[in-house]
Amino acid sequence: MSDEFISRSEHDEFCRRLDSENARQNRRIELLEENIRELATLTTSVEKLAVNMESMLREQEEQGSRLKSLESRDGEKWRQVAGYTITAVISLLLGYLFTHIII
């Protein structure tokens, strides 16, 4: 019957090892929980970044369309000025020619 029972020192050693294993596993669980919290924070930050990037994209598209309209307006003004200048030059030439033909 002495085979079935363990000594007090063996029992204390067994308890110490269980406590040590429990402490090790508890520490691993704490580290995992901390990692999950950090991952959740990172996920939230990435979501905010995506929203900001989408907003910036919309703003850039709006600015691009405004820039395109401004550039085309300057081009239209230049074409008008060129047209008026050509009309004036042609009018002067025709006026000069008519004055010499009539005289």
Side-chain angles (χ1 to χ4, degrees), residues 23-87:
R24 186 186 70 81
Q25 289 179 357
N26 287 341
R27 179 64 185 142
R28 289 181 66 198
I29 290 171
E30 287 173 7
L31 290 172
L32 287 172
E33 288 173 345
E34 183 179 328
N35 286 342
I36 289 172
R37 278 191 297 275
E38 289 175 2
L39 184 60
T41 302
L42 180 62
T43 302
T44 303
S45 297
V46 168
E47 287 175 3
K48 289 179 182 178
L49 180 63
V51 168
N52 287 337
M53 293 294 288
E54 186 177 330
S55 174
M56 286 174 52
L57 176 63
R58 272 189 258 115
E59 181 65 28
Q60 281 183 336
E61 288 172 350
E62 290 173 10
Q63 287 178 355
S65 64
R66 288 193 307 248
L67 180 63
K68 187 178 283 188
S69 69
L70 286 173
E71 287 174 344
S72 67
R73 208 172 358 169
D74 288 343
E76 288 174 23
K77 295 284 186 194
W78 177 251
R79 284 189 288 277
Q80 276 183 337
V81 168
Y84 292 148
T85 304
I86 291 171
T87 303

Side-chain angles (χ1 to χ4, degrees), residues 14-26:
F14 178 75
C15 287
R16 277 192 298 275
R17 288 186 183 190
L18 280 179
D19 289 342
S20 173
E21 181 64 16
N22 287 340
R24 186 186 70 81
Q25 289 179 357
N26 287 341

Side-chain angles (χ1 to χ4, degrees), residues 82-98:
Y84 292 148
T85 304
I86 291 171
T87 303
V89 168
I90 290 173
S91 297
L92 287 172
L93 285 173
L94 288 176
Y96 179 76
L97 288 175
F98 285 135

